[in-house]
Amino acid sequence: MTTLVPFIGLAADRRSHASFSRSFRLLAAVTSALLWLPRFWKTRKDLAALAGMSECERRDIGVTAFDIENMLALPVDRDPTEVLARVVDDRRHRRES
């Protein structure tokens, strides 16, 4: 009868890699949580600047007042600037088609 014994160094390496990966993910989650509030205030400031523009200025960049209202209604953990950029890009592509 043959008994197979795994290489001990390989198993130890896997455990340390998994531990490092778990630690890195935890660090990334903590960093993201700590930086959430500054990101939130920056995006709200950007939306306030867009809301303060005239209708003509907003039309030049492809944004309407309704778009800004929709972005303010998004959950606070979503980045409204990414969603708004997608809306403007979709509108531009529809116009070109």
Side-chain angles (χ1 to χ4, degrees), residues 21-96:
S21 177
R22 214 172 309 131
S23 298
F24 184 74
R25 284 193 308 249
L26 179 63
L27 179 64
V30 168
T31 303
S32 177
L34 289 175
L35 295 177
W36 173 81
L37 190 59
R39 279 193 315 263
F40 171 77
W41 284 115
K42 182 190 177 307
T43 56
R44 292 300 167 157
K45 186 177 134 190
D46 292 344
L47 286 175
L50 284 172
M53 290 180 175
S54 70
E55 188 63 35
C56 185
E57 291 171 323
R58 277 188 251 138
R59 195 176 324 123
D60 284 344
I61 59 174
V63 177
T64 65
F66 186 70
D67 294 335
I68 295 170
E69 283 182 42
N70 286 339
M71 296 308 113
L72 290 171
L74 287 174
V76 294
D77 61 336
R78 298 231 8 229
D79 184 6
T81 54
E82 290 177 5
V83 178
L84 190 58
R86 195 171 342 121
V87 167
V88 170
D89 193 45
D90 289 345
R91 198 174 284 148
R92 186 176 298 131
H93 285 312
R94 272 188 275 129
R95 227 179 302 139
E96 291 173 357

